[in-house]
Amino acid sequence: MGNWIINHGLTALILVVWMGINIFLFVYFYFFYDLGDQFIYTRHVLGSALAWARAPAAVLNFNCLLILLPVCRNLLSLIRGSFICCGRTMRKQLDKNISFHKLVAYMIGLMTAVHTIAHLLNVEWYNNSIRGEYDALNNALSALEDGENTTYLNPIRSNSTTPTHFVFTTLAGITGVIITLALILIITSSMEVIRRSYFEVFWYTHHLFVVFFIGLVIHGAGRIVRSQTTTNPPHNTSFCFDQPDQWGKISECPVPQFAGGFPGTWMWVIAPMFIYLCERLLRFIRYVQKVTYRKIVIRPSKVLELQLVKSGFKMDVGQYVFLNCPAISALEWHPFTMTSAPEEDFFSVHIRSAGDWTEKLISIMEQLPEGAEGPKMGVDGPFGTASEDVFDYEVSMLVGAGIGVTPFASILKSIWYKFKESNPKLHTRKIYFYWLCRETHAFEWFADLLQVLEAEMEERGMGNFLTYKLYLTGWDKSHATHAMVHFDEETDIVTGLKQKCHYGRPNWDIEFEQVRKENPSSVVGTFLCGPAVLGKTLEKKCVKYSDVDPRKTKFYFNKENF
Amino acid sequence: MGKIEWAMWANEQALAAGFIYLTGGIVGVAGQFRGWEFAAFGVAAGAFVCLLEYPRGKRSKGHSMERTGQYCFTMCLKAFGPLTRNYYFRAFLHAALCVPGGFMLATVLGCVCLGISSLIYLSAAIHGEHWEPILPRTESRAPVGESVKKPPQNPPPRPPVELRRKRMEDLEGAAYVNPISVTANEY
């Protein structure tokens, strides 16, 4: 239990607080509309459907405020930077921004459904009321005119209209339909299946959120939710309730007056909208800044390495940038982790062919004549993720699966530089590096880096600073035979490294046990860049092998996600 | 937008639309709204669309993700042959089903969503897509190597039993050095 608290405690707390605020808003506004005296007459026509519509509206206001914030990556980077004093756990929460965005989106979807259904009932009952299908009080209320000295309660003014007609001729109705439609389209195109396979559909359709927010802000401008205002002389509601025919004739019952509710949504969402606008503006400014190519290399197995230079660009280990190439697509920005170290005077990315955009980029580069400058490239970033924290831990376990090894390329290079400069920022005493890969031929560019590091460390006698294990998960019989025959050789047959390739997947229990044994009272940070399934496995192991006791080893899990 | 299979998005949209149509219809019927007959139609049409759209089709490229428990639905749909295969038919079916929803407020949203999914299906049909059932893969075992087919008839040659029995009287003489070095099993 203690282990769970260490790894998940703060996340759980944030979720509890968020849910608590949602529940509070719902209940508070439900009772505000269901018990408030100013709504007695409104409730007579609508019943509790009024409260059922207004309560989710409040929750919607709150969540529409929240939804824009987790996707402002520059803002998050800023917060991340300023939390350096406040500990790893706080910063780890910022890595879960997209999960939170999705959760808030689900809440918005759910509340929209409740809100819409309640309003369907409201419109139907208002319509029935003006057609005289209900009691005398209803008729009196609906008969209140929208005139010079009189105010109305029932927003439907004609007794020969339909609810559909009413909805499409009022601001609230039409904006409601449009923004709900936008929301539905956003949600269906954001389903995992669509997002993973056809990112463009997801990305372009998601921009309907602009329509959503504009519609949301003007949704309440028609002020059709009416409450009773105080008149002079005052209208004694409890007395006049049963005598609608006496209104305006006796002194206790002047004709009741009504006014529409103040549209308050803009107050909730204006700040996040502004922040998001700044975010997009910043991305645009970054796009316009000049980026030059230092080197373009096509690596084996269709991996493209780009070394770029941009003035004023400063990065940290394991950060990523968004690249945009107008020659391929003017509107698409794609994230890539940087593989260079902060100590170098350029930044590099290794790009593998994994979809339309990357394929086109690689083919453009392949067709470039020798020495020519590459196509114009926009760069937004750098943005920080979990890998930044790797030097804070005394011991780090780095796990990279396949192309997920890229942030760790940056880290290992940075270590190399820090070693050479004897940089005191390096708290790390020991690094365990696990690289899982299916095929041999994706190894080459990284194997070169490891060879250099290996040599450096041997030279300085720091052989046991970095322990790395390479796992070939896509082995077959021929690999096994080859390995058997060359068993006795010093260096690995596949990579040429001193440490041998392992075949198959790692046995994590044994690995964690070994790390725990070798580092008895340390705090170990585990970093993964790879598939979610592996993340779950590692997370479980971290919880399993951690101990609340400060004299024993503690494992913290950090996940990099795209 | 690259090699997108429109049918995948149309399917998600239609499933959502069916659900919304159904919900709107239930509200209309339960609340006894004016025009509840259209709502009743919405319930039926919405439920039908949900059942029709629940099984995902097979993608022409790449791995197809099945929805939980969609196998029996897939089989039902397969039985209808060209009616469920063809996306033009589906587009027109959805367009036809959505029209009555426009006559009543509760089902208007379902109507519009279904209409949009009909348009996306039309786009899919124009791009030549069609629905293929996702069937469980029949595991074809790789043919077993030739040598395994004919196991040996006789046991391997061994010295007679008297020589093989462990000689308790002379343990020193019975011990031998293993020609291949034996290492401990690490795992």
Side-chain angles (χ1 to χ4, degrees):
Chain A
M1 182 62 195
N3 314 325
W4 186 89
I5 291 179
I6 289 174
N7 276 292
H8 299 279
L10 191 55
T11 313
L13 181 66
I14 290 176
L15 291 178
V16 166
V17 169
W18 171 73
M19 203 59 198
I21 295 178
N22 283 325
I23 293 174
F24 167 75
L25 285 170
F26 193 95
V27 172
Y28 176 82
F29 280 94
Y30 184 87
F31 286 123
F32 180 78
Y33 283 90
D34 212 39
L35 301 176
D37 282 342
Q38 68 272 49
F39 294 107
I40 291 180
Y41 285 133
T42 322
R43 279 199 298 277
H44 185 73
V45 187
L46 301 178
S48 51
L50 170 70
W52 277 106
R54 298 303 307 154
V59 179
L60 278 170
N61 282 337
F62 175 57
N63 283 290
C64 289
L65 178 159
L66 287 181
I67 193 138
L68 284 177
L69 299 175
V71 288
C72 294
R73 31 176 205 255
N74 283 297
L75 174 69
L76 292 181
S77 263
L78 191 69
I79 296 177
R80 236 180 173 274
S82 60
F83 265 153
I84 287 186
C85 57
C86 298
R88 293 178 279 263
T89 340
M90 293 287 273
R91 278 178 281 156
K92 264 177 28 170
Q93 301 316 312
L94 297 173
D95 297 335
K96 304 186 185 174
N97 57 333
I98 299 292
S99 306
F100 188 62
H101 178 84
K102 285 193 243 183
L103 196 60
V104 173
Y106 287 138
M107 183 58 86
I108 289 180
L110 178 66
M111 289 293 119
T112 303
V114 178
H115 180 81
T116 308
I117 292 175
H119 273 321
L120 283 176
L121 297 171
N122 287 337
V123 173
E124 182 75 14
W125 290 336
Y126 266 144
N127 193 34
N128 288 345
S129 178
I130 195 118
R131 286 180 181 227
E133 291 182 21
Y134 297 144
D135 62 8
L137 177 56
N138 250 296
N139 294 342
L141 286 169
S142 293
L144 292 171
E145 299 273 316
D146 177 23
E148 289 280 322
N149 294 331
T150 56
T151 49
Y152 66 94
L153 169 61
N154 191 334
I156 303 183
R157 303 310 315 153
S158 155
N159 62 358
S160 57
T161 184
T162 60
T164 318
H165 185 256
F166 168 71
V167 158
F168 282 97
T169 49
T170 49
L171 190 63
I174 209 162
T175 49
V177 172
I178 290 176
I179 67 181
T180 310
L181 200 57
L183 184 67
I184 293 169
L185 284 170
I186 289 176
I187 290 179
T188 55
S189 64
S190 309
M191 298 267 90
E192 179 117 20
V193 194
I194 310 286
R195 206 172 70 236
R196 295 272 173 211
S197 321
Y198 317 114
F199 194 80
E200 292 88 351
V201 169
F202 157 69
W203 184 238
Y204 292 135
T205 319
H206 228 73
H207 280 79
L208 283 171
F209 77 86
V210 175
V211 171
F212 181 85
F213 272 91
I214 292 175
L216 185 69
V217 168
I218 61 178
H219 184 59
R223 305 197 189 213
I224 59 175
V225 178
R226 320 278 294 173
S227 62
Q228 193 177 356
T229 52
T230 37
T231 49
N232 191 9
H235 178 104
N236 187 338
T237 316
S238 45
F239 179 73
C240 307
F241 196 81
D242 305 306
Q243 308 176 61
D245 46 322
Q246 297 292 322
W247 290 350
K249 299 182 185 139
I250 54 179
S251 58
E252 296 92 340
C253 303
V255 175
Q257 304 293 333
F258 294 90
F262 174 71
T265 306
W266 67 273
M267 293 194 296
W268 290 83
V269 298
I270 192 129
M273 281 171 78
F274 178 69
I275 292 175
Y276 189 74
L277 193 64
C278 290
E279 163 80 26
R280 293 301 286 255
L281 210 60
L282 186 56
R283 291 186 200 178
F284 180 71
I285 291 174
R286 290 234 175 104
Y287 162 72
V288 174
Q289 287 171 331
K290 188 156 173 50
V291 173
T292 49
Y293 289 84
R294 186 174 177 273
K295 208 160 156 203
I296 303 173
V297 188
I298 306 271
R299 296 276 179 191
S301 44
K302 275 216 150 196
V303 172
L304 170 69
E305 179 185 348
L306 294 176
Q307 293 182 4
L308 303 166
V309 177
K310 187 168 168 218
S311 73
F313 187 86
K314 259 173 27 99
M315 62 169 281
D316 268 322
V317 279
Q319 289 195 299
Y320 61 96
V321 287
F322 274 76
L323 295 182
N324 167 289
C325 188
I328 305 173
S329 167
L331 297 173
E332 289 176 34
W333 289 81
H334 294 270
F336 297 98
T337 311
M338 288 185 284
T339 46
S340 55
E343 289 84 358
E344 294 169 320
D345 59 358
F346 61 91
F347 64 96
S348 71
V349 290
H350 282 70
I351 299 171
R352 194 178 68 159
S353 165
D356 286 345
W357 193 90
T358 39
E359 261 176 37
K360 277 214 199 84
L361 185 69
I362 291 175
S363 71
I364 289 178
M365 297 299 182
E366 279 173 343
Q367 288 157 18
L368 270 185
E370 279 289 329
E373 182 78 2
K376 168 162 163 52
M377 191 74 84
V379 174
D380 188 17
F383 300 108
T385 64
S387 319
E388 276 182 332
D389 304 331
V390 79
F391 297 122
D392 292 344
Y393 291 95
E394 292 172 61
V395 182
S396 296
M397 287 174 76
L398 310 178
V399 181
I403 199 73
V405 78
T406 31
F408 304 122
S410 168
I411 291 172
L412 292 175
K413 274 196 212 163
S414 188
I415 294 172
W416 179 35
Y417 284 112
K418 284 187 165 67
F419 252 152
K420 294 207 290 194
E421 302 162 15
S422 305
N423 192 326
K425 256 189 0 158
L426 196 62
H427 293 208
T428 322
R429 296 186 288 106
K430 185 112 183 73
I431 295 188
Y432 295 86
F433 181 61
Y434 305 89
W435 190 13
L436 286 61
C437 199
R438 207 170 301 172
E439 322 152 298
T440 55
H441 65 235
F443 267 119
E444 298 88 352
W445 65 271
F446 196 70
D448 289 343
L449 170 66
L450 286 179
Q451 270 178 346
V452 170
L453 278 179
E454 223 175 9
E456 278 279 318
M457 282 179 208
E458 293 268 313
E459 231 180 73
R460 292 164 180 265
M462 304 277 295
N464 60 352
F465 176 78
L466 173 68
T467 307
Y468 55 88
K469 298 194 180 177
L470 307 172
Y471 290 87
L472 205 58
T473 52
W475 63 280
D476 61 21
K477 216 162 174 292
S478 64
H479 286 116
T481 328
H482 197 195
M484 274 197 292
V485 169
H486 294 270
F487 187 66
D488 290 331
E489 294 190 20
E490 269 241 329
T491 54
D492 187 78
I493 34 160
V494 171
T495 55
L497 295 166
K498 280 216 147 50
Q499 299 226 9
K500 304 295 182 73
C501 263
H502 297 250
Y503 290 93
R505 295 190 189 157
N507 183 329
W508 291 114
D509 281 305
I510 291 187
E511 303 299 339
F512 273 80
E513 200 52 67
Q514 182 190 1
V515 173
R516 189 159 76 166
K517 207 167 60 165
E518 293 176 10
N519 305 278
S521 58
S522 314
V523 175
V524 182
T526 308
F527 294 85
L528 167 72
C529 186
V533 183
L534 184 53
K536 290 210 163 42
T537 312
L538 288 176
E539 212 164 4
K540 282 204 209 108
K541 300 292 178 208
C542 279
V543 173
K544 181 173 164 191
Y545 285 92
S546 287
D547 216 297
V548 193
D549 188 341
R551 292 166 299 170
K552 303 235 185 88
T553 324
K554 264 182 284 300
F555 289 86
Y556 287 97
F557 178 67
N558 300 277
K559 183 175 78 89
E560 169 137 340
N561 60 322
F562 283 117
Chain B
M1 283 200 199
K3 310 159 224 53
I4 171 173
E5 283 178 57
W6 292 102
M8 294 208 63
W9 185 25
N11 172 265
E12 297 288 331
Q13 181 68 15
L15 189 61
F19 188 63
I20 292 167
Y21 211 3
L22 175 65
T23 311
I26 291 176
V27 170
V29 168
Q32 293 163 14
F33 287 7
R34 186 166 286 112
W36 64 271
E37 297 88 352
F38 292 108
F41 178 83
V43 172
F48 173 70
V49 167
C50 281
L51 292 172
L52 174 67
E53 297 292 342
Y54 188 70
R56 278 210 184 98
K58 201 159 138 105
R59 286 169 62 171
S60 54
K61 264 181 42 165
H63 177 67
S64 314
M65 279 294 301
E66 281 201 335
R67 290 202 176 99
T68 333
Q70 77 167 41
Y71 181 64
C72 25
F73 294 98
T74 310
M75 288 292 110
C76 290
L77 253 61
K78 205 161 94 86
F80 284 93
L83 287 182
T84 42
R85 234 179 94 90
N86 189 301
Y87 282 146
Y88 279 110
F89 184 76
R90 238 187 245 215
F92 291 128
L93 178 68
H94 286 329
L97 284 177
C98 83
V99 167
F103 288 96
M104 203 205 145
L105 182 62
T107 46
V108 151
L109 202 59
C111 159
V112 179
C113 288
L114 200 54
I116 290 178
S117 79
S118 161
L119 287 172
I120 308 177
Y121 264 128
L122 191 62
S123 169
I126 292 172
H127 281 90
E129 298 172 25
H130 60 265
W131 189 83
E132 277 288 336
I134 302 180
L135 298 164
R137 272 184 330 201
T138 42
E139 300 276 348
S140 56
R141 301 233 166 266
V144 180
E146 277 299 314
S147 62
V148 183
K149 282 224 180 95
K150 289 192 296 191
Q153 260 42 50
N154 303 313
R158 286 197 182 110
V161 182
E162 304 85 36
L163 285 174
R164 271 186 288 140
R165 192 175 299 130
K166 194 158 176 189
R167 295 186 293 177
M168 293 306 290
E169 326 84 42
D170 181 16
L171 279 174
E172 290 291 329
Y176 61 89
V177 177
N178 202 332
I180 304 171
S181 67
V182 176
T183 49
N185 196 352
E186 278 176 16
Y187 291 118

